[in-house]
Amino acid sequence: MRANISEIFYSVQGEGIFCGVRQLFIRFSGCNLNCYYCDTRYSERCMDYANSRELENPVSLDYIQNVVDSSKNIHSVSFTGGEPLLYANFIAGLEKTRAFYLESNMSLPEEARKLKHFDIIAGDLKVREALKAGYEEIYENTVKSFRILRDSESRVTFAKIVLPERFDVEDVLARAEGIADCVRCFVLQPVFGSDVRNILKLQEKMLELADTRVIPQVHKYLGVR
């Protein structure tokens, strides 16, 4: 099997409750959504910064397995994107020789079923203001995905909510309530550079629902990938 991969690199996790841990990042190309704040850039070729190589796409499963197996002193392997669930069959073909961490928009539940062996799920709960159309269907699929990949004794699952300066507090609360029993906590993540005062007000209300933390994109403040 092969997959289109944009980048392979080592860095620290800059989002969510595992901020600061060293990871191997495997960034897949392409996404099924079009969030207005998305800042991910793609390359037609795969830039393997971990091994100082440039590869033709699509990249083979064996190559990625070798990169995973040879990684040292990492907390986990982050499968990110884009949207890695678009490549769920490819990822499911990898032997898990390190802890596996999924960063997903959680909108593809049938693909999520293929990755139930993952150790950590950093799943997005999109707000209505992030998307141009089709929000209700995306939300329904998000709930399904969180139920499939719910938090458990063997898996840490948390929900990340990326928030612009303006959003509907009551709508966010209602959407969060729909997955509260599936996650260990919520992470409120400001769009980089935005005012966080409304987010702090939202946190106060959400703490009545579940553990809720405000964590910005730390890697951007550090100036790393």
Side-chain angles (χ1 to χ4, degrees), residues 75-170:
H75 172 273
S76 48
V77 181
S78 175
F79 296 88
T80 185
E83 178 46 55
L85 287 182
L86 293 172
Y87 300 93
N89 288 330
F90 178 91
I91 298 171
L94 293 168
E95 182 181 357
K96 195 178 70 170
T97 57
R98 302 287 187 274
F100 277 9
Y101 182 113
L102 177 67
E103 299 187 68
S104 171
N105 64 34
M106 301 295 271
S107 66
L108 299 169
E110 294 308 312
E111 302 307 309
R113 294 183 189 280
K114 301 171 184 177
L115 302 183
K116 293 179 72 172
H117 63 296
F118 267 54
D119 303 283
I120 303 167
I121 307 297
D124 288 349
L125 175 59
K126 301 293 185 184
V127 298
R128 189 181 302 275
E129 292 81 1
L131 302 167
K132 296 179 180 179
Y135 181 77
E136 293 300 334
E137 181 180 359
I138 291 167
Y139 175 72
E140 289 177 9
N141 285 333
T142 297
V143 173
K144 290 178 183 178
S145 293
F146 272 105
R147 287 176 179 164
I148 293 165
L149 298 175
R150 66 189 309 134
D151 188 73
S152 68
E153 291 184 3
S154 60
R155 178 171 55 232
V156 175
T157 298
F158 67 93
K160 180 182 71 179
I161 308 176
V162 179
L163 293 164
E165 289 191 25
R166 297 181 181 179
F167 54 87
D168 185 326
V169 171
E170 295 305 319

Side-chain angles (χ1 to χ4, degrees), residues 39-108:
D39 57 3
T40 302
R41 297 181 179 180
Y42 305 111
S43 172
E44 291 185 1
R45 295 171 66 84
C46 175
M47 306 302 296
D48 181 0
Y49 297 105
N51 295 289
S52 301
R53 296 176 184 171
E54 186 174 343
L55 309 169
E56 295 284 348
N57 269 315
V59 179
S60 73
L61 186 73
D62 287 343
Y63 185 88
I64 298 302
Q65 186 71 65
N66 288 333
V67 174
V68 170
D69 293 347
S70 62
S71 298
K72 297 179 180 179
N73 299 321
I74 62 169
H75 172 273
S76 48
V77 181
S78 175
F79 296 88
T80 185
E83 178 46 55
L85 287 182
L86 293 172
Y87 300 93
N89 288 330
F90 178 91
I91 298 171
L94 293 168
E95 182 181 357
K96 195 178 70 170
T97 57
R98 302 287 187 274
F100 277 9
Y101 182 113
L102 177 67
E103 299 187 68
S104 171
N105 64 34
M106 301 295 271
S107 66
L108 299 169

Side-chain angles (χ1 to χ4, degrees), residues 160-195:
K160 180 182 71 179
I161 308 176
V162 179
L163 293 164
E165 289 191 25
R166 297 181 181 179
F167 54 87
D168 185 326
V169 171
E170 295 305 319
D171 192 51
V172 174
L173 284 169
R175 304 301 175 171
E177 188 173 4
I179 62 167
D181 63 339
C182 299
V183 300
R184 191 159 302 191
C185 71
F186 290 96
V187 172
L188 307 182
Q189 180 176 295
V191 171
F192 187 70
S194 63
D195 190 319

